[in-house]
Amino acid sequence: DCIATTSEKVDMEVDDNDSVVCRFCSEECEDEVDDWYMNCICCDLCDKWVHFKCAGIKTVRQMKVAQSDIWVCSICTCKS
């Protein structure tokens, strides 16, 4: 799946400063931060970005599983 990087910010939801923002908290998704918990993952259905912490991904193991499979945010999960 996708992890936000500066070069991929073309088609993502952006705020007024051209920053990628989290679908849930509207805070910026930063790339290459020391705390992996603040990185974002992209929903494979809606293509919106979500912080790992906002998605409830709490461990590196959960992060790796989410990245290796199709990941769907809780909003899209509730819609289906």
Side-chain angles (χ1 to χ4, degrees):
D1 291 310
C2 40
I3 299 298
T5 63
T6 306
S7 62
E8 296 173 322
K9 293 182 178 179
V10 177
D11 293 324
M12 298 181 216
E13 187 169 326
V14 295
D15 64 12
D16 293 337
N17 299 322
D18 290 333
S19 299
V20 177
V21 294
C22 174
R23 180 176 194 182
F24 295 138
C25 71
S26 299
E27 294 292 322
E28 184 176 352
C29 290
E30 300 178 30
D31 54 336
E32 299 180 17
V33 293
D34 291 334
D35 186 3
W36 66 268
Y37 205 54
M38 291 302 293
N39 283 320
C40 290
I41 188 166
C42 181
C43 174
D44 288 307
L45 289 182
C46 67
D47 291 326
K48 303 287 183 181
W49 292 82
V50 180
H51 287 117
F52 286 123
K53 69 174 186 162
C54 295
I57 298 171
K58 299 177 181 173
T59 66
V60 173
R61 178 180 159 86
Q62 288 175 327
M63 175 192 69
K64 289 180 179 181
V65 169
Q67 290 174 322
S68 67
D69 200 3
I70 293 174
W71 184 80
V72 180
C73 72
S74 60
I75 294 173
C76 288
T77 300
C78 290
K79 288 180 180 178
S80 56

